[in-house]
Amino acid sequence: MRVLVLVLFGMLLMGGVAQAHPLSNLSVNHYDGLRVFADRIELRSVVDSAEIPTLQDREFVDARKRCAERAKSLNAMADEQEIRFEVRDADVVRPPGEAGLPTMRLTCEYTAPLPSRGEVEVTFSDSYLKDKPGWREITVVGVDVAVSGAPAETVSDELRAYPDDLLSSPLDVRAVRFLAQPGEGSAVTAAPGVLGEATKAAVGLVGDLTPVVGVGAVLLSLVLGASHAALPGHGKTVMAAYLAGSRGTRRDAFLVGATVTITHTAGVLVLGLLLSASSAIAGESVLRWLGIASGLLVAVIGGVLLRSAVRSRGRKRAREGHEFGHGHGHGHGHGHGHGHGHAHRRAGLVGMGVAGGLVPSPSALVVLLGAIALGRTWFGVVLVLAYGLGMAATLTAAGLLLVSLRDRFGPRLARFRRFTDFTPLGTAALVMAVGIGLATRALAG
């Protein structure tokens, strides 16, 4: 369990969002390197699976068998003739990943005869696990054959080193078309061997779980969750706009934080247990739909808030007109609807907290799955709860700071009453726009 504590500490040092895999704990990445000879094509196909897909891949038994299955997803044509790839070698290594979970690097070596000995146009595509998110790259080099129309050098070193400037929009090359003809071939460096390129690693427990180690892990999880929530996103802007537009109180800020904790913790536990129990659950699809639901919920709250602001402004204008026409106020109805509006605000705040915690953090998921893999499920639950409390602490602090600033500087803005009257309308419109944007981004994948 000390290993898990060290992993948490490493994640904290790397900013609270560190992931052992550069792209995502849910990614499955592909590289296809074709070497074209005068009489054949050799293919090195690499599948790099991150922690969660590796954990779910319970059907994996034999590398050669998996490579044979993988060959069914490879489609190639030389002019009008189909090219069929046969397995000539297979290898799998499991480098250690985040929270003690292994990753998996499957390397398949194929060969296929090239029907034509002269100039030939070749098309190649790879549809293996086409719905999984990740990096996809194809390169083609010629050996005593001139090749044109396809990249010859890998930018990721065959999925060993992903370029930092491309992580936000990874390569997604699934098919190439190139022309091969007799010539000098491509000037490339010989690729390194795959057998033994990485050592199989296993992360074991070092010592028993002691109270000191356990407390240290919980504290690290708290700080990790807090630092994670401090990064852009997590609804801080939306929550701030809502608290400002609805005249929220300090108690409301605590309510949002508590709701985020409960929702996020429940989401991580449910999804983590599902992912560990069934390989049929696609974690990336679940997160996508949760992201859509979160955005739509925020948009609905913004719409309700906007409608309330419009009605409130209409009532205010009508009251001012009535008082102006009669020259005095009637003194009744002052508290009308106050309790009703208060309940609406609280309901909106709960909804905002649910939206903020609805999408589980991949880092928290991996910590839970790592604890399950190490046989410490109960301790993983404790760490996830601490992670959620850390997130809630940051969000609550942000809300309290906003309320304090509003209470301090609000009276000074009284002279700008004409403009501040529009604050509820503006904040409601902002909440709705952000919700629509979040849902659209999640829908686009």
Side-chain angles (χ1 to χ4, degrees):
M1 191 53 61
R2 293 176 186 172
V3 174
L4 195 57
V5 177
L6 291 175
V7 169
L8 288 169
F9 185 65
M11 293 165 66
L12 175 62
L13 290 179
M14 297 181 68
V17 292
Q19 295 172 324
H21 202 283
L23 291 172
S24 164
N25 301 119
L26 293 160
S27 65
V28 178
N29 310 284
H30 305 75
Y31 167 76
D32 293 301
L34 294 97
R35 293 168 60 85
V36 184
F37 295 79
D39 61 342
R40 69 189 187 280
I41 295 180
E42 294 182 355
L43 168 64
R44 169 177 293 161
S45 185
V46 181
V47 180
D48 172 31
S49 300
E51 292 89 348
I52 292 178
T54 299
L55 179 70
Q56 289 188 285
D57 193 1
R58 296 177 180 80
E59 298 179 358
F60 188 96
V61 177
D62 179 75
R64 195 173 191 89
K65 181 179 178 181
R66 176 59 62 86
C67 288
E69 296 173 355
R70 166 131 173 64
K72 299 175 184 177
S73 303
L74 305 173
N75 299 290
M77 298 285 291
D79 290 333
E80 301 298 325
Q81 300 184 54
E82 182 179 3
I83 299 176
R84 293 184 176 274
F85 290 98
E86 299 292 335
V87 180
R88 66 183 180 87
D89 199 2
D91 180 47
V92 62
V93 293
R94 299 177 181 272
E98 191 176 42
L101 293 175
T103 61
M104 183 169 66
R105 180 181 174 91
L106 172 69
T107 303
C108 304
E109 302 279 2
Y110 301 99
T111 185
L114 191 60
S116 176
R117 297 301 177 92
E119 182 177 285
V120 59
E121 184 180 59
V122 179
T123 58
F124 172 84
S125 64
D126 182 354
S127 60
Y128 186 62
L129 299 178
K130 59 183 180 180
D131 296 328
K132 292 286 186 180
W135 181 284
R136 293 177 183 269
E137 182 181 5
I138 302 176
T139 62
V140 183
V141 299
V143 181
D144 296 329
V145 173
V147 173
S148 59
E153 296 186 5
T154 168
V155 299
S156 67
D157 190 19
E158 300 184 3
L159 308 183
R160 296 185 187 89
Y162 298 90
D164 292 337
D165 58 338
L166 294 178
L167 291 180
S168 59
S169 59
L171 288 183
D172 190 19
V173 180
R174 301 169 186 243
V176 293
R177 183 188 299 269
F178 59 92
L179 188 66
Q181 54 189 341
E184 296 182 356
S186 307
V188 295
T189 304
V194 296
L195 297 177
E197 67 181 19
T199 305
K200 295 183 179 180
V203 180
L205 293 174
V206 183
D208 296 329
L209 177 61
T210 64
V212 174
V213 172
V215 171
V218 170
L219 291 177
L220 283 175
S221 293
L222 280 168
V223 179
L224 181 60
S227 60
H228 183 72
L231 295 172
H234 303 288
K236 289 186 294 297
T237 302
V238 176
M239 182 194 69
Y242 190 94
L243 286 173
S246 62
R247 302 293 191 269
T249 64
R250 289 176 174 80
R251 182 178 296 179
D252 293 335
F254 281 105
L255 177 63
V256 173
T259 308
V260 168
T261 300
I262 295 171
T263 307
H264 182 267
T265 303
V268 171
L269 294 179
V270 171
L271 183 55
L273 293 175
L274 287 175
L275 289 174
S276 63
S278 173
S279 59
I281 302 296
E284 66 280 357
S285 297
V286 175
L287 292 179
R288 180 187 180 193
W289 285 109
L290 287 176
I292 294 173
S294 176
L296 291 177
L297 179 57
V298 171
V300 169
I301 293 172
V304 172
L305 192 62
L306 182 61
R307 184 183 65 177
S308 176
V310 170
R311 289 182 175 180
S312 177
R313 184 166 178 78
R315 287 194 299 267
K316 181 178 180 181
R317 283 186 172 182
R319 185 171 61 252
E320 289 175 349
H322 181 73
E323 292 177 355
F324 178 79
H326 289 77
H328 61 86
H330 292 285
H332 61 271
H334 176 72
H336 178 68
H338 176 74
H340 187 63
H342 185 74
H344 272 183
R345 187 179 75 244
R346 286 295 172 87
L349 287 169
V350 170
M352 198 66 67
V354 170
L358 190 59
V359 182
S361 164
S363 295
L365 270 175
V366 170
V367 169
L368 175 61
L369 293 173
I372 293 175
L374 294 172
R376 302 280 189 175
T377 302
W378 67 270
F379 191 64
V381 173
V382 172
L383 294 180
V384 170
L385 180 59
Y387 191 99
L389 288 172
M391 287 183 61
T394 297
L395 296 177
T396 302
L400 291 173
L401 177 62
L402 173 74
V403 172
S404 297
L405 291 174
R406 186 199 63 204
D407 292 344
R408 181 175 180 180
F409 296 103
R412 301 182 184 181
L413 299 177
R415 70 185 70 176
F416 304 104
R417 182 178 179 184
R418 178 182 301 179
F419 300 101
T420 57
D421 284 346
F422 289 95
T423 298
L425 291 172
T427 55
L430 174 63
V431 170
M432 188 166 62
V434 170
I436 294 173
L438 291 173
T440 302
R441 186 177 66 178
L443 186 61

